Each structure stands twice: as C-alpha cells, then as structure tokens.
Amino acid sequence: MTDGGSSPSKVTLTKESPRVSLDKSEAAHGTLTVNLNWNARPEGDAAGGGGKRGFLAKLQSAFQPQGGIDLDLGCLWEFSDGSKGVVQALGNAFTARDKAGRTVLSLDGDDRSGAAVAGENLRIELEHADSIKRVLVFALIYEGVPNWEQADAVVTLTRPGQAPIEVRLDESDQQSRICAIAMIENTGRGLTVQREVRHVRGAQKALDQAYQWGMDWAPGRK
C-alpha cells in the first residue's frame, strides 16, 4: 500500500496480508524502530475536548483514571543462545543484552499520558540481529478501562531507507488488557515481521503461556 507521498511506500500488515520479510542485506545495519502511538483520552472526555456521541460513551470514560488510558509498549524476547526475557517499563526492564554484552533491544521510555508526539519506541539494533531468535511485540493497558477501540493504537516499524511497516490495533476485546501486536523472527536469511493483533485475557504471564515462551513471572511495578 502507498501513503500517497514521496517517501517509500508504506506496508500495512492485515489479516489478508499479515507477513513481510526484511532482506538480510537490508537489515545488516542501523536500527529497526517499533513505535507505538495511541489516543490517550477517549472521545467525549471533557478534559480531552472531544465530542463523543451519547450518554454511554460519557459513562464509560467516567470509569477511567483522569479519563485517560496508559498504554505500554513492550516485548518478549528469545535469543539464539536460548536466553529469554521481557523488555518493558514494569520493573525498569528497558534493555536486553546478548551474552557479549551488546544491547540488542531497548525501550526509550514510558509515555504515561499518550500525549508525547513520539509515542513509545522499542529499538532493535540490526547489526546484532543474529542474536535474535524471536521477539513478540505487545501493548498493555496498564491503567484505564480496556478500551482498545477508542485507544486507536497503531504500531509503525521503520528501518533505514525502507518502507515503514504499519500494524493497526483494529480489533477489540474489552476484557483483555494485553495484545500481541507482531512477531519478529530470525529465519537465517533475515528478519520477518508477522502481524498478530491477538488479545489475551490476563497480563504478561498469560501472553507468555499463549505463545509458549516458558518464563517465570513475579509481580512488578513502575
């Protein structure tokens, strides 16, 4: 798909076309940036200045802390040496390093309002891509009612000189706080990105179990 501009064509992953490959020659340098942006306040929230239709929407927003949603970006990771972990704001787990001590994955911060123009960014250092076996990118509603539809979240993956890859969280489960967005895997010939957009009822432990990651979990906070 194209965005109509002069920049490289945008690739949108959908149910019908859920997968794209990053050629190894393209992914040999630079950074693959995974950006999460969302609507911090549901439409119709008085503080947000929206004009949402109807009484039910106003009632719904009244149950959200300060009328807003705190949506977190994170990932489960597994390296080629068998090590596993999570990168997320909870527990201040902002980086993942391989056995050589090189930073492979890093999260730039925690946008607790959704108002930051840059959103939240997970960075994958492509020169160390050989250390990666798989990375499962997820979004978690840390605070607020699980209202994925009004959050209107979108994840965009960008890499040097290549078309942006977009995954829209355009499905909803109002009983799920966590959503698997995309699976990034190392095929040996390069990285592939697979659209997931799979809501899981529970939190990180439930996501781990759904994808058979096999980690031990303990309560965390930020």
Side-chain angles (χ1 to χ4, degrees), residues 1-12 156-158 162-166 168:
M1 297 180 66
T2 61
D3 56 11
S6 58
S7 60
S9 299
K10 178 175 67 179
V11 177
T12 300
T156 306
L157 298 88
T158 57
Q162 302 298 318
I165 301 167
E166 180 182 87
R168 301 202 69 88

Side-chain angles (χ1 to χ4, degrees), residues 202-213:
Q204 291 91 330
K205 183 177 180 180
L207 184 68
D208 176 313
Q209 293 171 342
Y211 283 87
Q212 300 180 339
W213 221 266

Side-chain angles (χ1 to χ4, degrees), residues 63-85:
F63 285 95
Q64 297 179 346
Q66 294 81 47
I69 297 172
D70 181 12
L71 192 60
D72 282 356
L73 177 68
C75 73
L76 302 181
W77 56 266
E78 182 177 3
F79 288 164
S80 54
D81 62 11
S83 58
K84 303 174 184 179

Side-chain angles (χ1 to χ4, degrees), residues 22-29 126 160 162 189-191:
L22 312 184
D23 185 84
K24 195 168 186 177
S25 62
E26 297 173 358
H29 64 280
L126 295 174
Q162 302 298 318
R189 298 183 299 276
L191 300 178

Side-chain angles (χ1 to χ4, degrees), residues 20-49:
V20 66
S21 296
L22 312 184
D23 185 84
K24 195 168 186 177
S25 62
E26 297 173 358
H29 64 280
T31 302
L32 176 63
T33 301
V34 183
N35 171 264
L36 170 67
N37 254 303
W38 74 97
N39 177 22
R41 291 183 179 276
E43 297 177 20
D45 174 42

